[in-house]
Amino acid sequence: MECTHELVERGAIRIAAATDRDNRPMAAHFARAGYPVTQERIDLV
């Protein structure tokens, strides 16, 4: 994830990302980049 590298170069010490559970390609991309799953959210609409 190129944007992660740029954020770190600019001084970021914490980066958060989010995607829908059903968006498996994006979730896989986050996993490959080393983003751990730290929480889940359920929207009851």
Side-chain angles (χ1 to χ4, degrees), residues 1-2 4-6 9 11-16 18-19 21-22 24 26 31 33 36 38 40 42-44:
M1 295 184 89
E2 197 168 312
T4 299
H5 297 292
E6 183 173 338
E9 287 174 6
I13 56 173
R14 181 175 290 191
I15 302 168
T19 189
R21 176 181 268 183
D22 292 336
R24 291 188 172 121
M26 193 66 205
T38 60
E40 292 185 21
I42 299 172
D43 291 325
L44 303 174

Side-chain angles (χ1 to χ4, degrees), residues 30-45:
F30 286 145
R32 282 192 304 275
Y35 283 77
V37 175
T38 60
Q39 60 182 280
E40 292 185 21
R41 182 178 80 190
I42 299 172
D43 291 325
L44 303 174
V45 179

